[in-house]
């Protein structure tokens, strides 16, 4: 599933990002540009990030 349409960031990409040590929205913003365009994906991205960290 695509989380950030503007920057083509999938749920899978966020999972991979967490695997490589990212743990905050700020990390996702800096490294994947999540939420840096229209910002509509922020809530969904935060939820995916949370679920991903909880699974670890
Ligand atoms: Fe992520 Fe627009 S959908 S910034």
């Amino acid at each position: 599933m695509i989380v950030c349409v503007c920057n083509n960031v999938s749920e899978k990409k966020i999972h991979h990002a967490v695997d490589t040590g990212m743990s905050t929205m700020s990390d996702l913003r800096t490294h994947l540009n999540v939420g840096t365009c229209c910002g509509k994906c922020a809530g969904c991205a935060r939820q995916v990030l949370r679920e991903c960290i909880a699974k670890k």
Side-chain angles (χ1 to χ4, degrees):
M1 183 186 89
I2 295 293
V3 175
C4 180
V5 179
C6 296
N7 298 301
N8 194 28
V9 179
S10 63
E11 205 172 326
K12 200 172 163 189
K13 256 191 200 168
I14 294 179
H15 279 252
H16 181 70
V18 170
D19 284 345
T20 60
M22 294 182 213
S23 60
T24 64
M25 279 300 289
S26 177
D27 289 337
L28 297 186
R29 217 173 290 132
T30 306
H31 299 281
L32 301 175
N33 293 325
V34 172
T36 57
C37 193
C38 74
K40 283 185 185 158
C41 59
C44 180
R46 189 169 289 118
Q47 196 183 329
V48 170
L49 180 64
R50 247 188 239 136
E51 284 170 7
C52 206
I53 290 169
K55 277 185 201 156
K56 289 203 129 213

